[in-house]
Amino acid sequence: MMIINLFGLVLIALIIWWFWLYKPAKAIDSTMESVTVIVNNGVYDPSRIIVAKGKETTLNFLRKDGSPCAATVIFPDFEVSEELPVDENKAIELPSMAPGQYPFHCPMKMYSGTLIVE
Amino acid sequence: MNSIESSIKDTKAQELIIDGAGCASCVGKIETALKNVTGVENAQMNFALRTVVVDGEVDSEDLVQAIESIGYNARSAEDTSDDELLDEKEIADQKYYTSLMRQMWIALGLGVPLMIYSIAGGPMTVETTLERGIWLFIGILCAAIMYFAGKHFYVGAWKSFVNHSANMDTLIALGTGTAWIYSMVVVFFPMAVPEMARHVYFEATAMIIGLIDLGLALEVKARGRTSEAIKRLIGLQAKTARVVRDKKEVDIAIEQVLLNDIVRVRPGEKIPVDGLVIEGHTSIDESMLTGEPMPVAKEEEDEVVAGTLNKTGSILFKATRVGKDTALAQIINMVKRAQNSKPPIGRLADAISAYFVPVVMIISIISALVWLNFGPDPALAFAVVSATTVLIIACPCALGLATPMSVMVGVGKAAEAGVLIRNGEALQTASKITAMILDKTGTITEGSPTVTDILVADKSYTEKYILTIASSIESRSEHPLAQAIVDSAIAQEIDPEDISDFQAIAGHGIEAKLEDHHLLFGNQKLMFKKGVFLGEFVSKAQKLADEAKTPMYLAIDNKLAAIIAVSDPIKEDSIEAIKRLQNSGIRVVMLTGDNRATANAVAKKVGIKEVFAEVLPEDKSNKVAELQAQNEIVGMTGDGINDAPALALANVGFAIGTGTDVAIESADITLMRGSLHGLADAIAVSKATLRNIKQNLFGAFIYNVAGVPFAAGLLYPFFGLLLNPVIAGAAMAFSSLTVVSNANRLRLFKPQEH
């Protein structure tokens, strides 16, 4: 019984670490290569994108998931919200941005990603 | 990624639309410029249609740039129109719906018989070898169902897990996965499990997958209805236009209409693009955009707007805005943007959503541990059931959908009534407004004043002479009442005199010279300031003011010559609309630069008790601040041009339009029609939407707050109640559907309640 309880507590600790404490480091640099964000199965891939500051940026989105959750992508800081057609490339133009981190997500925040402006 | 890029560049032939190509000689220039772009194999222009077809592997951006560099404008004809996008979306939704329904039938095909068997008292336990064999077969069948009907849950759960995020898929995958794995353990190693706990839960796995697929399918259908308003707006766009090209009228696709094209519209046809009438007269139904039920008469020089319906006459007009620039396109854009923006009330739900799923996973583990440690026998079975049920019943979707669905419907509903709401924040603040400032001229009144009385004080002048002088002065003024005097002079065919030394004194009037006569034209303050004796005319002016007219004094050589009264008629439905505002508990205040007596008279007519009169234009925003200092949440309504700073300072600025001439960028909320009913509608819709959001949020909170502990077995020690995982699955599937349906109820909301 001890072992089971311990196992449960370790599991809880792992959940806390994996979902909250872990900070992903990997980010795709859109200034180096052209980026297409694939929208499928509940995630944006890539979900962390580096963009250049003070410059208008175009990001490509390709939605492969039919779920209505995936249908719209919102950049709340720039009042940008765009419908994504299924299986079709959609270019989204973003205004010039000040350095910082800006989230983008679907209306329910099930899909989420971050723009890192440097 | 490479395959996508190459698929874009693979486009062999593409079409461009050229703006500004006026002569046939442009054709050669454009074709040459395009052929010089690397990658282009051939370029051929159709001058009649102003389109070019370009062959070769090349990015359309480069082509547009090449054309722009030689002085023309171009755009790709392949830009998907809103209309097509909408069709595609519907097809995609339908496809998704069909696949979900198919998956549902697969899952319920196994789940329902098993469920009936278990309800009918069939043993779900594993004891004999035969039972082991049968259950093994069913377990494998169940795995197949998990694959064919629920693959999307498991793939989604895994993908988000790898990305350190968790969502609804995670919960369902874990819940059904736990039930299935436990059951398989029972089948394979019955000895490892206490005898009383040798129970299989294959029916739960299959039922849950089936029910949630059904819930999702119904949700897709219900969600489609939430975007009805935007569909209607997009549907207003005409598909073709009849333009005059080379002296002939030809029908062309709407995308190919160019700036300055001459467009023909016959009775019963839609106006295809925005423009100015150059020939003919007609009446046009603009209700679809403005909510204004009466058709509007149009003649030469009048503006026509894309999407409205030509009723009676045939007209020719010149296109002034095409493509993405038309008022309709901008409205569609704005509504779309607003529908996806979130009011502050949704932020709490968002904050919770970020932690929701991991927290539920933790609760589920704790619940299992508690059952294992303290639960009655068979503790292991109870632990599995409670852990599964907690995972399944928790519904982050209901919480996540609560706000956006209502905003979607509410903003769309407002747009139908001619009310354009900028974003979710404006929507929420509008629902909380406690005080509303209404600008008088153009908001409460028509904004088109006319001269009503001329009282000559010095009998040596004729009425005509007075009007000549007054209109000569006013023709140089920008004051809203000035136009009335100028118009009146024009009507009587009076030519203005040459005025010199013109000087406007803000808030007072004008000082000027005609030959060697000194002229003063303005309000009472100006006369007092300059020491003009008014005598009995003070009371005569007062009498005019009491009739809601604005008296203006004209003094020649510092001697009163006449009073000219101008009146701006009150819009016929202002009284009723103001009453609607007051009935909803809003303190209505009138604001005007006009004199106090006239302002009071207008206010009295429309039933407003508080008046800020004689306010200089630059002081309007101070009045907004004054009310805000009294802890009021202040709405300010004006034409959005003269009172932009006041609109910006107010908690919510309402720009009241005249017809479809909208200053979309200037205000939080734009009222497309001139009637103040639009304002009352805007507030009514925002209140209804906020109420709807609160219902949704409350429902979603209560559902999760009550459902999760119940599923964990909190009621078991007291009442012996433990939730069946299948019921949890049904509850979860229908909770988000309920939220969407409740939001859809807003579609039935009718703002015009007097």
Side-chain angles (χ1 to χ4, degrees), chain B residues 341-421:
Chain B
S341 77
K342 207 166 271 186
I345 191 172
R347 284 186 198 141
L348 179 62
D350 271 355
I352 293 174
S353 291
Y355 300 99
F356 189 88
V357 175
V359 165
V360 169
M361 285 156 70
I362 291 171
I363 293 178
S364 141
I365 294 171
I366 293 174
S367 145
L369 289 181
V370 170
W371 277 104
L372 283 173
N373 285 297
F374 310 107
D377 272 338
L380 183 57
F382 278 127
V384 170
V385 169
S386 72
T388 305
T389 318
V390 166
L391 290 171
I392 295 298
I393 201 166
C395 184
C397 282
L399 213 52
L401 285 170
T403 313
M405 285 296 116
S406 306
V407 170
M408 187 99 173
V409 183
V411 167
K413 193 77 209 172
E416 277 179 14
V419 175
L420 299 182
I421 298 173

Side-chain angles (χ1 to χ4, degrees), chain B residues 139-293:
Chain B
I140 291 168
L141 209 58
C142 190
I145 279 169
M146 288 159 84
Y147 179 78
F148 287 111
K151 189 181 159 200
H152 52 115
F153 298 128
Y154 303 103
V155 174
W158 175 249
K159 289 268 183 182
S160 23
F161 177 76
V162 187
N163 259 284
H164 297 268
S165 72
N167 55 33
M168 188 193 80
D169 290 341
T170 316
L171 293 176
I172 294 162
L174 280 177
T176 53
T178 309
W180 184 81
I181 289 171
Y182 176 77
S183 307
M184 285 311 258
V185 168
V186 170
V187 172
F188 276 112
F189 314 104
M191 293 312 151
V193 180
E195 204 179 330
M196 279 172 77
R198 285 178 203 157
H199 193 284
V200 289
Y201 298 99
F202 294 124
E203 97 284 8
T205 304
M207 282 299 289
I208 290 166
I209 290 177
L211 285 171
I212 290 172
D213 278 337
L214 174 66
L216 283 176
L218 296 178
E219 192 188 310
V220 171
K221 282 275 150 176
R223 274 200 193 197
R225 282 194 290 274
T226 60
S227 50
E228 228 168 45
I230 197 89
K231 274 184 218 158
R232 231 180 40 93
L233 280 175
I234 292 171
L236 292 177
Q237 214 121 40
K239 297 230 181 330
T240 60
R242 196 173 181 81
V243 301
V244 182
R245 293 264 169 95
D246 305 324
K247 295 186 180 155
K248 276 197 299 252
E249 289 184 7
V250 286
D251 283 316
I252 59 172
I254 186 88
E255 292 83 13
Q256 294 173 345
V257 179
L258 308 174
L259 267 188
N260 298 326
D261 260 342
I262 307 300
V263 184
R264 160 78 67 195
V265 183
R266 290 161 296 189
E269 289 179 339
K270 279 180 195 161
I271 306 288
V273 296
D274 293 357
L276 284 179
V277 179
I278 54 169
E279 199 187 296
H281 55 88
T282 184
S283 68
I284 289 182
D285 177 5
E286 297 186 339
S287 62
M288 56 293 280
L289 286 187
T290 63
E292 167 65 56

Side-chain angles (χ1 to χ4, degrees), chain A residues 15-66:
Chain A
I15 290 174
I16 293 173
W17 173 74
W18 184 261
F19 291 108
W20 293 328
L21 301 181
Y22 180 86
K23 290 270 171 276
K26 193 187 78 175
I28 298 292
D29 194 340
S30 75
T31 56
M32 305 296 284
E33 52 185 314
S34 126
V35 173
T36 298
V37 179
I38 309 282
V39 185
N40 200 9
N41 289 320
V43 287
Y44 294 125
D45 181 28
S47 63
R48 291 171 64 81
I49 303 159
I50 297 172
V51 295
K53 67 171 180 190
K55 216 170 89 181
E56 286 177 19
T57 310
T58 305
L59 287 180
N60 293 312
F61 278 76
L62 180 68
R63 170 185 168 208
K64 292 190 161 174
D65 195 329

Side-chain angles (χ1 to χ4, degrees), chain A residues 28-118:
Chain A
I28 298 292
D29 194 340
S30 75
T31 56
M32 305 296 284
E33 52 185 314
S34 126
V35 173
T36 298
V37 179
I38 309 282
V39 185
N40 200 9
N41 289 320
V43 287
Y44 294 125
D45 181 28
S47 63
R48 291 171 64 81
I49 303 159
I50 297 172
V51 295
K53 67 171 180 190
K55 216 170 89 181
E56 286 177 19
T57 310
T58 305
L59 287 180
N60 293 312
F61 278 76
L62 180 68
R63 170 185 168 208
K64 292 190 161 174
D65 195 329
S67 151
C69 288
T72 310
V73 60
I74 301 173
F75 294 80
D77 298 293
F78 312 107
E79 286 201 349
V80 169
S81 94
E82 293 281 355
E83 303 263 323
L84 305 175
V86 180
D87 286 334
E88 200 175 299
N89 196 66
K90 168 91 186 177
I92 295 179
E93 277 150 35
L94 296 167
S96 123
M97 295 170 272
Q101 296 212 354
Y102 305 98
F104 59 96
H105 50 76
C106 73
M108 281 172 55
K109 286 201 169 169
M110 297 276 250
Y111 286 76
S112 69
T114 312
L115 284 183
I116 303 156
V117 182
E118 300 179 339

Side-chain angles (χ1 to χ4, degrees), chain B residues 5-248:
Chain B
E5 272 169 31
S6 60
S7 77
I8 299 165
K9 287 198 174 150
D10 264 349
T11 334
K12 276 283 179 200
Q14 44 185 320
E15 199 179 13
L16 295 175
I17 297 166
I18 315 290
D19 268 321
C23 56
S25 70
C26 308
V27 173
K29 251 167 90 182
I30 289 169
E31 286 180 355
T32 317
L34 286 173
K35 282 173 190 162
N36 286 338
V37 178
T38 352
V40 173
E41 285 157 20
N42 193 22
Q44 201 161 19
M45 179 157 179
N46 178 335
F47 181 64
L49 293 175
R50 266 79 166 173
T51 57
V52 199
V53 177
V54 183
D55 295 326
E57 279 183 36
V58 62
D59 199 35
S60 64
E61 289 288 309
D62 296 339
L63 299 177
V64 170
Q65 240 166 35
I67 292 171
E68 279 171 358
S69 70
I70 54 166
Y72 305 103
N73 288 319
R75 58 199 140 97
S76 171
E78 256 110 86
D79 280 349
T80 332
S81 71
D82 285 332
D83 214 15
E84 289 165 37
L85 210 64
L86 202 70
D87 287 346
E88 278 177 20
K89 189 176 172 238
E90 249 164 48
I91 293 167
D93 277 358
Q94 184 59 41
K95 234 168 91 184
Y96 186 61
Y97 172 80
T98 321
S99 81
L100 282 171
M101 286 305 270
R102 199 188 55 233
Q103 291 171 357
M104 176 207 72
W105 288 119
I106 295 175
L108 293 191
L110 176 70
V112 169
L114 274 181
M115 183 87 182
I116 292 171
Y117 170 75
S118 103
I119 291 172
M124 303 288 280
T125 49
V126 179
E127 272 151 20
T128 64
T129 316
L130 176 66
E131 276 175 345
R132 272 182 73 181
I134 294 173
W135 284 121
L136 179 63
F137 174 70
I138 291 177
I140 291 168
L141 209 58
C142 190
I145 279 169
M146 288 159 84
Y147 179 78
F148 287 111
K151 189 181 159 200
H152 52 115
F153 298 128
Y154 303 103
V155 174
W158 175 249
K159 289 268 183 182
S160 23
F161 177 76
V162 187
N163 259 284
H164 297 268
S165 72
N167 55 33
M168 188 193 80
D169 290 341
T170 316
L171 293 176
I172 294 162
L174 280 177
T176 53
T178 309
W180 184 81
I181 289 171
Y182 176 77
S183 307
M184 285 311 258
V185 168
V186 170
V187 172
F188 276 112
F189 314 104
M191 293 312 151
V193 180
E195 204 179 330
M196 279 172 77
R198 285 178 203 157
H199 193 284
V200 289
Y201 298 99
F202 294 124
E203 97 284 8
T205 304
M207 282 299 289
I208 290 166
I209 290 177
L211 285 171
I212 290 172
D213 278 337
L214 174 66
L216 283 176
L218 296 178
E219 192 188 310
V220 171
K221 282 275 150 176
R223 274 200 193 197
R225 282 194 290 274
T226 60
S227 50
E228 228 168 45
I230 197 89
K231 274 184 218 158
R232 231 180 40 93
L233 280 175
I234 292 171
L236 292 177
Q237 214 121 40
K239 297 230 181 330
T240 60
R242 196 173 181 81
V243 301
V244 182
R245 293 264 169 95
D246 305 324
K247 295 186 180 155
K248 276 197 299 252

Side-chain angles (χ1 to χ4, degrees), chain B residues 611-679:
Chain B
V611 179
F612 292 130
E614 296 170 31
V615 180
L616 300 176
E618 59 270 29
D619 279 344
K620 284 185 177 176
S621 47
N622 291 342
K623 297 297 171 188
V624 172
E626 208 172 282
L627 284 188
Q628 282 169 334
Q630 298 170 22
N631 286 328
E632 301 276 16
I633 295 171
V634 182
M636 163 86 206
T637 310
D639 56 17
I641 301 157
N642 300 317
D643 33 28
L647 290 192
L649 184 69
N651 299 76
V652 186
F654 294 83
I656 194 158
T658 46
T660 42
D661 188 16
V662 283
I664 288 182
E665 294 305 321
S666 72
D668 298 316
I669 296 183
T670 304
L671 308 170
M672 302 274 292
R673 67 181 151 150
S675 162
L676 276 177
H677 274 306
L679 180 62

